[in-house]
Amino acid sequence: MSHATPLTYTRWIALALARALQTDDETPGGRGARALQARAEQCLGVEARLWLRPLCVVLARWPDPVWRAHSVRSLADELQDTSAFLDGFDAALHPRPRVHRVLLRPSRRRPLPFALEHLSLPDWQTEADLAAWLGLSGEELDHFAGPSQRYRETVATPRRPHIAATRHYRCLLIPKRRGGLRLIEAPMPRLRALQRRLLDGLLHALPCHEAAHGFVPGRDVASHTACHAGQDFVIRFDLQDFFASVGRARVAAIFRTLGYSDGVVERLATLCTTRTPAMVRERLREDGALDLDGARRLAAPHLPQGAPTSPALANLSLFGLDLRLAGLAERFGASYSRYADDLVISGPATLRRDQGRLRAWVRAVIEDEGFRLRPDKTRAMPAGGRQQVTGVVVNQRPNLAREDYDRLRAELHRLAGMPRVDAALRDPLRGRLAWARQFLAATRVAKLDRMFDAIVFGEA
């Protein structure tokens, strides 16, 4: 059952009963059939005793790890799938269930899943714990991650004057080299600092799939391209709307898997997602950079491209996709890796013959996982032609394309001939050199370094 399940009458009863069953369930004997039934009867009244008894007997058989792993919502989901619970709604056998009393328990964190038990993660039992860890007061946490941040448009109107117009992102439209606009949603300094704290203190500790190479400590473009060097056939796919495709529900699911309570999960998901304002979406539509489906994704809460937390959360949310595509590649005798939205499969010459089936399977898996392909970006590259992955030629070994080397050399030569160059260009140029250095022979690296050293940087 999804997190967005409508609050029907049956769901309301299940939620109320789940809260009652979890109240005092960690006390000695608190998960026995009699103790469970006593709390259930306090919630639904003694008139529900006949159908609650067999239900509580079933629940008392659960082992402790199963009990501890459930949140209120997941326990309600389990109840609604249990025949003993559904029997209580048979009007011919029992009176209509009714909530007499809502029993509450303190918020608590559930244990980590089996494979993550070794991780040392922040112990946020409550929203107050999260606020304190972030160095915020409760009011400040509301400012950044309160309910108003989840409204469709954060603009006050005469009918909705309570909606705050505060926005925590700047939307930048950057021209692409090949035409069109790229949307960057950059968080304001205070929110960016909070997101950086979450990245360093939580997200960096979480393992993503081994096929993911982008934004992963210890992996990079060089490790990504090395997976596909010297292969007979390389095929590259590209995901559409990479960050915008990761919605709030996926982000919340990551934090919920870590055992955090629903209140903490809501705050974390709000801190890491945003909605794109209508005027920005309209500008992108006018430019032709956005179709209707893409506009809908931006209108809903999604990972903002530009937030420090977005790359790590995107990698974590694509774990299932990476797992399935790695398995698919293995079935074809091939290898798979991903750098952000760039998906690459490479292998023997037989892959060229079987590429029709491979493409169909890849598309089916991607769509089943809730993402979309950009068909215009799919490239099939046999060994007889240039095989290029994330801008790097991989025919024999990872190597910078000749035109990219010539372009960088020409730019350095031009800047070295100027009397003075704006100091703001130093770091971007140094970054481009570091990138190129990974894929060039030592003699070419030395030549570029000498040209860089000849540039006179200073105030413009």
Side-chain angles (χ1 to χ4, degrees):
M1 186 173 297
S2 71
H3 177 60
T5 301
L7 188 59
T8 61
Y9 187 79
T10 304
R11 180 67 174 174
W12 161 242
I13 297 296
L15 287 169
L17 184 56
R19 287 187 172 90
L21 293 171
Q22 288 194 335
T23 303
D24 296 331
D25 63 344
E26 293 188 342
T27 59
R31 295 175 190 146
R34 289 187 178 181
L36 292 174
Q37 184 169 346
R39 297 198 297 273
E41 288 183 14
Q42 288 185 57
C43 176
L44 301 182
V46 294
E47 60 268 26
R49 177 175 296 166
L50 289 179
W51 69 270
L52 286 174
R53 183 178 295 120
L55 174 63
C56 292
V57 169
V58 170
L59 299 178
R61 294 176 183 148
W62 287 1
D64 285 352
V66 174
W67 262 109
R68 295 182 63 207
H70 274 301
S71 66
V72 170
R73 287 173 176 165
S74 67
L75 180 55
D77 294 343
E78 193 73 31
L79 290 174
Q80 289 186 258
D81 289 333
T82 303
S83 59
F85 173 81
L86 298 176
D87 287 345
F89 294 85
D90 188 340
L93 299 176
H94 306 289
R96 182 177 174 86
R98 184 167 63 90
V99 176
H100 290 252
R101 184 182 293 114
V102 176
L103 280 67
L104 300 178
R105 61 162 176 78
S107 177
R108 69 187 181 201
R109 183 183 170 198
R110 302 181 305 282
L112 288 167
F114 175 74
L116 303 179
E117 285 180 329
H118 65 286
L119 298 179
S120 178
L121 303 180
D123 186 20
W124 303 319
Q125 300 287 341
T126 65
E127 296 168 57
D129 293 336
L130 172 62
W133 186 86
L134 290 171
L136 301 174
S137 66
E139 292 76 11
E140 288 174 319
L141 184 60
D142 276 339
H143 176 68
F144 291 106
S148 65
Q149 295 301 317
R150 300 197 293 271
Y151 292 143
R152 186 169 184 82
E153 301 292 347
T154 54
V155 177
T157 66
R159 296 184 62 184
R160 300 185 299 176
H162 60 286
I163 296 180
T166 303
R167 283 198 56 78
H168 299 295
Y169 291 86
R170 291 182 298 117
C171 293
L172 309 174
L173 298 177
I174 310 297
K176 297 181 182 178
R177 189 173 63 181
R178 298 182 180 178
L181 296 173
R182 182 188 309 279
L183 171 63
I184 302 296
E185 295 176 292
M188 299 296 187
R190 283 202 69 193
L191 177 58
R192 185 177 184 83
L194 297 176
Q195 292 172 338
R196 175 60 64 178
R197 176 98 164 97
L198 287 173
L199 178 65
D200 294 338
L202 173 66
L203 298 179
H204 272 167
L206 304 177
C208 59
H209 194 275
E210 60 185 11
H213 290 259
F215 320 111
V216 180
R219 305 177 210 169
D220 52 21
V221 170
S223 62
H224 173 56
T225 54
C227 298
H228 308 288
Q231 295 293 330
D232 291 320
F233 188 78
V234 178
I235 185 166
R236 190 180 75 226
F237 304 90
D238 193 86
L239 294 178
Q240 186 163 346
D241 301 330
F242 178 56
F243 288 109
S245 296
V246 182
R248 179 187 173 85
R250 289 181 187 270
V251 175
I254 293 170
F255 295 124
R256 193 170 290 112
T257 299
L258 301 179
Y260 293 119
S261 65
D262 292 333
V264 172
V265 167
E266 290 296 315
R267 300 292 189 151
L268 289 170
T270 303
L271 280 171
C272 297
T273 58
T274 189
R275 295 180 186 268
T276 306
M279 65 179 68
V280 178
R281 302 196 305 266
E282 291 169 5
R283 176 69 181 87
L284 289 168
R285 291 290 304 278
E286 292 171 0
D287 185 67
L290 198 65
D291 60 15
L292 183 59
D293 190 47
R296 287 172 179 162
R297 291 174 187 264
L298 291 179
H302 60 274
L303 291 181
Q305 183 173 354
T309 47
S310 292
L313 287 168
N315 278 336
L316 292 168
S317 68
L318 265 69
F319 189 97
L321 175 67
D322 291 334
L323 185 68
R324 294 176 68 179
L325 290 183
L328 176 65
E330 187 176 352
R331 291 289 299 271
F332 281 85
S335 300
Y336 162 78
S337 70
R338 177 179 59 81
Y339 190 93
D341 56 357
D342 187 71
L343 288 63
V344 182
I345 295 176
S346 65
T350 54
L351 203 60
R352 184 175 186 178
R353 179 196 65 201
D354 297 332
Q355 66 171 300
R357 289 192 300 122
L358 177 65
R359 288 180 186 229
W361 273 107
V362 168
R363 183 183 185 89
V365 169
I366 288 173
E367 291 181 352
D368 188 55
E369 290 289 331
F371 296 91
R372 295 186 301 166
L373 270 178
R374 288 195 59 176
D376 59 312
K377 288 290 191 77
T378 299
R379 294 287 184 272
M381 298 169 283
R386 173 184 285 190
Q387 297 173 323
Q388 194 163 353
V389 174
T390 57
V392 178
V393 177
V394 296
N395 288 71
Q396 299 299 325
R397 62 176 181 82
N399 191 24
L400 193 68
R402 178 57 187 260
E403 59 268 27
D404 292 334
Y405 169 76
D406 289 342
R407 189 181 301 113
L408 179 57
R409 184 183 62 178
E411 184 171 356
L412 291 173
H413 178 74
R414 179 180 64 84
L415 294 175
M418 296 174 62
R420 190 170 299 275
V421 176
D422 188 346
L425 293 177
R426 180 191 285 111
D427 287 342
L429 274 175
R430 185 181 285 121
R432 291 174 62 187
L433 272 175
W435 157 273
R437 190 177 286 114
Q438 304 174 87
F439 311 109
L440 290 174
T443 54
R444 288 191 168 184
V445 170
K447 178 182 287 188
L448 294 179
D449 284 343
R450 285 195 300 271
M451 297 172 72
F452 178 81
D453 292 339
I455 300 174
V456 179
F457 291 101
E459 293 301 327

